[in-house]
Amino acid sequence: MQREELTKAKRIVIKLGTNVLRNTDGEVAISRIYSFIEDISKLVKQGKEVILVTSGAVGLGKKKLNLDSTAEDGVKQACAAIGQSRLMSFYENGFGIFDIPIAQILLTEDDFSLRYKYLSLRTTLNKILEFGVVPIINQNDTVSTIQMNPVLSGTKVCFADNDKLSALVASELDADLLILLTDIDGLYTANPKENPDAKLIKKVPCVTDEIMALGTDASDGGRGGMRTKLEAAKLVTRFGGKVLIANGKIPYVISKIFDKEDIGTIFLPSNENLPDKKRWIGYATNIRGQITVNNGAKKAILEQCSSLLPIGIINVLNDFKQGEVVSICDENNVEFARGMVNYSSEECRKIVGAHSNDIEKILGYKNYDAVITRDNITGLI
Ligand code: GLU
């Protein structure tokens, strides 16, 4: 039944991890890359819209320069620039054989985090798809600075790997399906590399905390691991998309998926239908600070979808401006929601614990009763 559903997907994001684009000896897996291209071309010819998110640039650049490590400052960025053109040359040649034009899009966190850039990117990607072109997306490691900047406590960047990037793209474009191709068969009950009794989970109806706890860190080469794939699945299923994690080393795996073969782990959509703005607040933008709230406020936000009033605030961390997005944490410092603030951190600090009626007395003006309005809050659990 669910396998049948997958074949009906019209707009599909496919993410290829570093480890499926190269062989175990680190050489480019040329025949596999061409088989992906052949499979995707088939889908495009059937009228489906495919967006490809591809890793592999850093690995290819490293190989080209014969380097053992990319740890030194600037080396990974340089490798990304060197490898990206090589990576694209495979796609250009391969899709060219099938007469399918491609477009390269390299993205950093700001392209999602700043709302006007996010909306403009969506318009552009939709246009590219309308033209019947396959967008080929990668994180722009050459200019991205997230891995270099120390992340202040209470702040977060919206993505640092292609798993999350592919989920953000799927969310931005309302894709029906995200396929994450990696080097294991799907989600297991335990890490199959360490535990021979681990069993493949075929279907995940809901990405619960228990499922999230099965997430492991990245293996060699790639930046994401099962944890980032589960985070991707959580976002996509919350807006009504489906997700499939499967082994990209299975020959012609994409065609097999669309031939309804029982491959990988499928994540079913929730009934939540999270609207776009809430998705952006919850997942697509950088987090500038943190507001800690008392248990009463937490309950009101999660159970009654209430706004956050100053009376419920205990603490404010870091500096943020009105209109920026912050983490909302409980008394144990656990993040349970994110929201776009009506007041700056400086204003918030002055009105911590105050009654909304007193805001004007304290600040000399009052633009809102709430520090975060309910429509601008996204619960994370
Ligand atoms: N952008 C990186 C690359 O092209 C990969 C990022 C990731 O593995 O998530 O090598």
Side-chain angles (χ1 to χ4, degrees):
M1 169 62 188
Q2 278 94 23
R3 299 286 156 175
E4 178 80 41
E5 286 293 307
L6 288 188
T7 65
K8 291 190 193 142
K10 165 94 172 54
R11 185 168 275 195
I12 304 150
V13 177
I14 299 177
K15 184 254 168 175
L16 304 175
T18 299
N19 289 337
V20 302
L21 294 171
R22 63 180 191 195
N23 294 317
T24 30
D25 58 5
E27 289 297 342
V28 194
I30 296 180
S31 58
R32 197 178 303 127
I33 295 181
Y34 277 86
S35 73
F36 289 136
I37 294 170
E38 197 179 330
D39 277 356
I40 293 170
S41 300
K42 248 197 257 170
L43 297 179
V44 173
K45 301 253 153 126
Q46 287 164 18
K48 296 192 187 291
E49 296 172 320
V50 180
I51 301 103
L52 190 59
V53 176
T54 180
S55 301
V58 176
L60 285 175
K62 185 175 161 208
K63 185 85 198 159
K64 182 94 189 160
L65 297 178
N66 253 324
L67 300 177
D68 293 327
S69 157
T70 55
E72 199 188 320
D73 276 356
V75 173
K76 199 192 69 201
Q77 287 78 355
C79 286
I82 293 152
Q84 182 65 28
S85 58
R86 186 130 190 261
L87 186 61
M88 288 309 288
S89 71
F90 293 117
Y91 293 122
E92 185 70 56
N93 287 335
F95 281 106
I97 296 169
F98 297 96
D99 256 343
I100 294 175
I102 58 168
Q104 170 182 261
I105 299 124
L106 299 176
L107 299 172
T108 67
E109 49 290 358
D110 284 349
D111 298 314
F112 290 90
S113 193
L114 302 171
R115 181 102 181 132
Y116 72 95
K117 286 197 172 201
Y118 174 87
L119 295 174
S120 149
L121 175 63
R122 175 157 67 193
T123 308
T124 308
L125 286 171
N126 274 319
K127 257 305 156 237
I128 290 172
L129 290 168
E130 243 176 65
F131 285 133
V133 174
V134 174
I136 301 190
I137 299 175
N138 194 0
Q139 180 177 2
N140 193 350
D141 287 300
T142 302
V143 299
S144 167
T145 51
I146 20 174
Q147 325 253 319
M148 281 157 30
N149 286 342
V151 177
L152 297 170
S153 92
T155 67
K156 291 188 182 74
V157 286
C158 57
F159 78 90
D161 61 81
N162 275 351
D163 291 329
K164 180 79 189 288
L165 172 59
S166 62
L168 292 178
V169 170
S171 165
E172 187 174 35
L173 292 175
D174 277 317
D176 306 304
L177 173 64
L178 168 65
I179 301 177
L180 297 165
L181 293 180
T182 181
D183 58 352
I184 59 167
D185 285 336
L187 178 66
Y188 280 81
T189 52
N191 186 346
K193 287 175 184 154
E194 288 158 13
N195 188 339
D197 294 331
K199 297 222 164 20
L200 180 68
I201 302 172
K202 292 273 171 110
K203 184 169 78 178
V204 176
C206 178
V207 187
T208 57
D209 288 348
E210 289 72 39
I211 291 290
M212 287 304 291
L214 297 174
T216 46
D217 286 330
S219 57
D220 275 1
R223 201 168 297 153
M226 195 46 79
R227 194 188 322 281
T228 54
K229 286 177 184 55
L230 293 175
E231 281 165 11
K234 175 115 193 167
L235 164 58
V236 173
T237 53
R238 280 194 78 183
F239 75 79
K242 297 175 203 71
V243 177
L244 186 77
I245 299 178
N247 193 336
K249 292 190 171 175
I250 297 172
Y252 291 94
V253 65
I254 300 172
S255 283
K256 287 181 177 156
I257 292 166
F258 284 87
D259 283 342
K260 299 175 218 159
E261 284 193 29
D262 196 12
I263 288 171
T265 303
I266 183 169
F267 295 76
L268 303 181
S270 75
N271 295 322
E272 204 180 351
N273 263 327
L274 200 66
D276 177 70
K277 184 152 179 223
K278 289 210 173 211
R279 284 179 229 165
W280 181 78
I281 289 172
Y283 298 93
T285 187
N286 293 342
I287 302 303
R288 303 291 179 189
Q290 179 181 314
I291 293 182
T292 311
V293 304
N294 61 30
N295 285 336
K298 177 180 180 182
K299 206 161 171 272
I301 288 171
L302 290 181
E303 291 174 20
Q304 287 130 44
C305 295
S306 301
S307 297
L308 173 63
L309 302 176
I311 199 160
I313 299 180
I314 304 174
N315 194 21
V316 176
L317 211 70
N318 281 319
D319 294 332
F320 48 84
K321 300 200 242 339
Q322 180 197 5
E324 291 190 326
V325 174
V326 300
S327 281
I328 308 175
C329 295
D330 65 16
E331 291 178 11
N332 298 323
N333 221 16
V334 175
E335 184 188 38
F336 66 91
R338 291 179 180 178
M340 190 195 281
V341 287
N342 292 330
Y343 291 100
S344 70
S345 49
E346 201 183 326
E347 292 166 321
C348 285
R349 281 191 187 99
K350 290 184 187 155
I351 56 175
V352 164
H355 199 281
S356 297
N357 287 339
D358 295 330
I359 294 179
E360 185 159 6
K361 209 163 51 194
I362 300 168
L363 297 181
Y365 52 86
K366 177 168 83 169
N367 297 330
Y368 303 86
D369 277 342
V371 168
I372 308 181
T373 315
R374 61 166 73 193
D375 291 345
N376 292 331
I377 297 179
T378 306
L380 297 178
I381 44 182

